Amino acid sequence: VHGENILFLCGDVMTLISLEDLSKDIEELSAFKDKATRPNVIRLLSLELEKKQKQFATLKAAEDQKAEYERKKREYEAQPKSASFQTISDYAWDQSSTKLSVFLNISGADELPESAFSLKVTAETIEFTVMGLRGANYRFRVPKTAYPVDPAKSSFKVKANRIVLSIGKGDQSHWLQLNYKKEQKELAEGDPTANLMNMMRDMYNDGDDETRRMIGKAWTEAQQKQLKGETD
């Protein structure tokens, strides 16, 4: 589609037709058909009229689709953008031998243009963001995956109230969880203080913005007490 025109194949010739031209053709063919008296002429006019009506419907649907996309784009671009994100916590996932399917439940996702979505995948991280959905930004993040993933085989699809991430597996391992987690035995053999710090770090990496603020505040207060020589 280009502007209000569309290309139709007429015989062996590509013809540029506008909605206005089609509307006039339909009007004139209808007038000719109403005045025709011979059956063969009426039949030929009916066939041509039906063809024009189908072309009009096709072009009208394409124009409506384009207008709806432009409307969504204008609304999205008019919304103020901020750098803060709300964590997408309502999700489910499944797997096959070659990929992970992550289902993110986001009401109104299909209202946004494609430019509002971003999927970033590395060999061991997944991050999907939604910008400007009804004035808010959303993010789904796996800071370290349980097993390697394949960025080249990863994609997403936007559906009504749901986004489906298709993440290629780096190998055919069977996943028990999305996030990498240290085994409890491995933790028990380590230094208790280091284990606590690692646990806090995992909570920080996996947490939403509010969780990160709380952990960051706790770390800052602990460091300030240590500098002042205070002990609990």
Side-chain angles (χ1 to χ4, degrees), residues 89 107 123 171 197 211 216:
S89 56
S107 178
D171 55 41
M197 294 302 295
T211 301

Side-chain angles (χ1 to χ4, degrees), residues 2-118:
H2 177 72
E4 296 181 351
N5 302 316
I6 194 168
L7 286 170
F8 285 104
L9 182 62
C10 300
D12 294 327
V13 181
M14 293 295 289
T15 305
L16 189 66
I17 303 177
S18 70
L19 276 175
E20 184 179 1
D21 289 337
L22 284 171
S23 180
K24 290 179 179 178
D25 288 347
I26 291 170
E27 183 180 353
E28 195 162 319
L29 283 168
S30 297
F32 287 153
K33 180 185 174 184
D34 290 341
K35 294 179 181 179
T37 57
R38 296 185 59 80
N40 285 340
V41 174
I42 294 174
R43 182 177 62 84
L44 289 172
L45 288 172
S46 296
L47 289 173
E48 185 63 20
L49 180 60
E50 183 180 355
K51 183 177 76 173
K52 294 292 184 182
Q53 288 171 335
K54 287 181 179 179
Q55 290 178 347
F56 184 90
T58 300
L59 179 54
K60 184 65 167 59
E63 283 297 306
D64 289 346
Q65 185 178 18
K66 179 184 177 183
E68 179 64 11
Y69 173 81
E70 293 295 335
R71 182 191 67 78
K72 290 180 180 179
K73 185 177 179 182
R74 287 192 302 270
E75 288 183 355
Y76 170 72
E77 291 175 347
Q79 291 178 356
K81 306 296 188 297
S82 65
S84 62
F85 290 91
Q86 296 183 32
T87 298
I88 300 172
S89 56
D90 186 7
Y91 71 91
W93 66 281
D94 198 0
Q95 64 182 306
S96 67
S97 60
T98 59
K99 72 174 184 178
L100 303 170
S101 296
V102 184
F103 308 96
L104 308 178
N105 296 317
I106 306 178
S107 178
D110 55 329
E111 299 173 4
L112 297 176
E114 188 175 350
S115 58
F117 307 100
S118 174

Side-chain angles (χ1 to χ4, degrees), residues 154-172:
S154 300
S155 60
F156 70 91
K157 290 184 179 179
V158 179
K159 300 184 178 182
N161 300 324
R162 172 175 282 192
I163 296 169
V164 182
L165 309 183
S166 178
I167 309 297
K169 286 185 174 181
D171 55 41
Q172 294 190 353

